[in-house]
Amino acid sequence: MAEGYADLGMFLDALAELDAIAPESRDKPEVLAARVPIYAKLEKWELMQTVARRLVIGEPEHVEWIVSLAYATRRTETIEAAKTMLLDAVERHPSAAILHYNLACYECQLGQIEVAKARLGHAFRLDANLRALALEDEDLERLWDSLG
């Protein structure tokens, strides 16, 4: 039910559904995972960071939790702190295209356009489907501007 509310943009109702789950089940990965995008939409960065950190600890092989943690950390701390997390993660998951993609975004935001280009190129080689995402990503605007 919570995901249905979230799909409709009813994020507070979705959270209410998740809060109504029995206490012994609230820490299950699937329940925590449902909270992450809701907190992101509500810009509840500290809550997102806390939940994503718990998911990273419980499921370290799932790079999407690392990306979520970095995304929240970028907003609660700094882009540099988020970048450090991703650099550490890419050492453990070198073929995870989404890690390279997000590093490209952070490098671009930090003004490191050449590094961003290289990271983005590597991400595209790992997963060509990221090209469409990149064209719409505001974090990469400086990179696109540098080409034009």
Side-chain angles (χ1 to χ4, degrees):
M1 182 78 86
E3 287 180 10
Y5 282 130
D7 289 343
L8 295 172
M10 301 169 66
F11 303 113
L12 295 177
D13 293 310
L15 284 178
E17 286 292 320
L18 293 171
D19 290 342
I21 291 174
E24 62 274 8
S25 296
R26 289 184 190 155
D27 286 336
K28 290 185 176 183
E30 60 271 18
V31 176
L32 294 173
R35 289 182 178 278
V36 171
I38 295 168
Y39 289 147
K41 290 291 186 181
L42 293 173
E43 298 183 2
K44 301 285 187 184
W45 307 123
E46 293 86 3
L47 293 171
M48 182 181 173
Q49 186 179 37
T50 299
V51 171
R53 184 173 288 118
R54 289 176 66 188
L55 286 163
V56 167
I57 291 167
E59 299 182 329
E61 70 282 1
H62 292 284
V63 295
E64 68 267 24
W65 305 138
I66 298 165
V67 171
S68 294
L69 179 57
Y71 189 80
T73 299
R74 171 185 177 177
R75 283 145 183 86
T76 60
E77 297 174 29
T78 64
I79 289 179
E80 289 85 358
K83 176 183 157 185
T84 299
M85 285 180 175
L86 293 180
L87 286 170
D88 181 55
V90 85
E91 291 294 319
R92 293 188 316 274
H93 307 281
S95 61
I98 197 67
L99 295 177
H100 295 280
Y101 177 88
N102 278 277
L103 279 166
C105 290
Y106 294 170
E107 294 290 5
C108 190
Q109 288 297 300
L110 293 167
Q112 301 298 319
I113 303 302
E114 292 306 312
V115 177
K117 285 179 189 177
R119 283 275 181 200
L120 198 57
H122 188 64
F124 291 166
R125 285 188 294 281
L126 292 170
D127 183 355
N129 294 321
L130 291 174
R131 290 178 187 271
L133 179 63
L135 291 173
E136 301 296 323
D137 198 320
E138 292 178 6
D139 280 347
L140 296 171
E141 282 182 9
R142 284 171 143 174
L143 188 147
W144 303 132
D145 291 347
S146 75
L147 299 175

